[in-house]
Amino acid sequence: GASTTIGNYVLPPLLGGWAAWQASDQASAWQSKVQIGNTEKIARAVADFALDVGLIEGACHEATLQVTPWLQDTLVLVAAPTHPLARSTPATLDDLREAVWLLREPGSGTRETTDQALLPHLHAYRRSIELGSSEAMQQAAVHGLGIACLSRWVVQDKLAAGQLRCLATPVPAIQRQCHLIVPRHKQITPGLQAFIAFATAFATTPGNAALLQKH
């Protein structure tokens, strides 16, 4: 299982490497099944033994799970180039408080990180639109509906194309830790152990940072 940002932007190159590794190992047969949802749903499914392993970008609140730090992610504040705050001078906190915010739903790792980073400065979102996926948030931002706080993995193509712009604000840089989760009391099969080892190596291999910038 993977939370939505990881599932859409990190899992494809990870599984591409995994499939290539399996082929080079001449495995006789193997199948993978992927479930993508928000962090809360993936953690719950792993805790319920419905999934063998989860890759999540939010904090894990399930006490029965073993949580291992995995990749690091950066979140950025973005808006369309035509947005009033997409200018060379930094936006003020008052500007941000008056803006329309594009937000993920509660239970999303992106929403939890956004709340933790922004609400100490903004106190509340006075005007907001809640959307069920990071891609929907990105498209809404491209069309000028408001400001989004999204993973750089999500927005890098739109930034490069000039469809979005990072905002200069007094809010400190937003970093988050992604995690790999498994049940504490699950018997780890050799196949699952091999995948966990591969995912761990993927996160610590320097060349994969560049690979993720292309997806």
Side-chain angles (χ1 to χ4, degrees):
S3 50
T4 52
T5 297
I6 291 175
N8 287 323
Y9 298 95
V10 180
L11 207 57
L14 171 64
L15 290 182
W18 170 249
W21 181 84
Q22 290 277 19
S24 68
D25 196 43
Q26 298 182 336
S28 57
W30 62 275
Q31 294 83 34
S32 295
K33 182 178 180 180
V34 178
Q35 179 178 324
I36 297 175
N38 68 33
T39 290
E40 183 178 55
K41 290 180 179 178
I42 294 302
R44 182 69 260 163
V46 176
D48 288 343
F49 297 94
L51 295 173
D52 291 322
V53 58
L55 301 170
I56 58 172
E57 65 252 18
C60 180
H61 304 294
E62 296 285 346
T64 61
L65 298 182
Q66 177 179 318
V67 182
T68 303
W70 193 49
L71 288 171
Q72 287 274 348
D73 187 17
T74 301
L75 275 68
V76 291
L77 302 183
V78 297
T82 55
H83 192 280
L85 300 187
R87 58 199 182 201
S88 56
T89 55
T92 67
L93 289 178
D94 284 340
D95 290 334
L96 297 179
R97 292 185 185 109
E98 293 299 320
V100 175
W101 284 91
L102 307 172
L103 303 170
R104 283 290 304 276
E105 77 285 358
S108 156
T110 296
R111 176 61 181 272
E112 183 170 9
T113 301
T114 298
D115 288 352
Q116 290 174 351
L118 297 179
L119 290 182
H121 303 280
L122 305 181
H123 309 306
Y125 305 111
R126 294 184 60 186
R127 297 187 292 169
S128 64
I129 302 172
E130 191 174 289
L131 298 131
S133 74
S134 295
E135 182 59 30
M137 287 174 61
Q138 176 176 230
Q139 291 298 330
V142 165
H143 287 87
L145 295 183
I147 298 173
C149 180
L150 286 167
S151 165
R152 190 170 286 277
W153 293 328
V154 175
V155 299
Q156 57 191 356
D157 288 345
K158 299 298 185 187
L159 291 173
Q163 295 178 278
L164 288 175
R165 185 172 296 172
C166 286
L167 304 185
T169 77
V171 176
I174 304 171
Q175 303 287 334
R176 68 176 171 184
Q177 178 69 59
C178 302
H179 299 92
L180 186 151
I181 56 175
V182 294
R184 291 184 185 277
H185 304 297
K186 180 181 179 67
Q187 182 176 357
I188 304 297
T189 64
L192 179 56
Q193 184 59 56
F195 177 78
I196 291 171
F198 184 88
T200 301
F202 180 91
T204 56
T205 300
N208 287 331
L211 181 64
L212 289 176
Q213 295 304 309
K214 298 177 184 178
H215 289 79

